[in-house]
Amino acid sequence: MMNTLRNLALFAAFAGLTAVPNAAVAANPTINVVASNFKFTPGTITLHVGQTTTLRLTSSEGVHGLQSDDLGIPMTAIQPGSVKTIQVTAKKAGKYVLHCAIMCGAGHANMTLTVNVVP
Ligand SMILES: [Cu+2]
């Protein structure tokens, strides 16, 4: 048992070391965003101009939506029990505040996802 734990720790340490250079050159990062009543978590994400990023959208509570003409995000419903993946390639740096695109209840008007697009 102790040996197994030690080996796991060694493996984790090794994996951590080798993951650093790989992460630095990741061509297509994935960002998980969870919708709930009435927020997106995380509330702010960062994309890089010209870098295709996969948004992996799920809901832990309620039906919500995301859409942005500026960022090329089609109208996408996000509901419990399913995963929506969207490829986003931002063209222009800036701060984009995306409002929940589906009327979801009392907190809908204040439900936003801030996307910071940086060079
Ligand atoms: Cu909403």
Side-chain angles (χ1 to χ4, degrees):
M1 185 59 181
M2 285 311 290
N3 267 344
T4 303
L5 286 176
R6 196 176 65 94
N7 287 342
L8 276 175
L10 283 172
F11 176 76
F14 180 74
L17 284 174
T18 57
V20 171
N22 286 340
V25 296
N28 190 350
T30 296
I31 300 175
N32 293 305
V33 177
V34 181
S36 61
N37 295 336
F38 297 94
K39 63 182 190 298
F40 292 101
T41 306
T44 300
I45 62 174
T46 300
L47 305 180
H48 292 268
V49 172
Q51 181 183 51
T52 300
T53 300
T54 299
L55 298 186
R56 188 175 177 280
L57 308 171
T58 57
S59 171
S60 63
E61 175 183 48
V63 179
H64 306 279
L66 211 56
Q67 191 272 334
S68 171
D69 289 337
D70 290 336
L71 295 173
I73 298 174
M75 177 61 204
T76 304
I78 310 164
Q79 50 201 320
S82 73
V83 178
K84 295 286 173 62
T85 57
I86 304 172
Q87 309 278 333
V88 181
T89 310
K91 293 184 171 72
K92 191 164 175 261
K95 178 181 176 179
Y96 302 80
V97 179
L98 279 53
H99 287 259
C100 175
I102 291 179
M103 179 61 198
C104 55
H108 170 73
N110 297 317
M111 182 171 170
T112 60
L113 173 68
T114 297
V115 181
N116 284 317
V117 178
V118 300

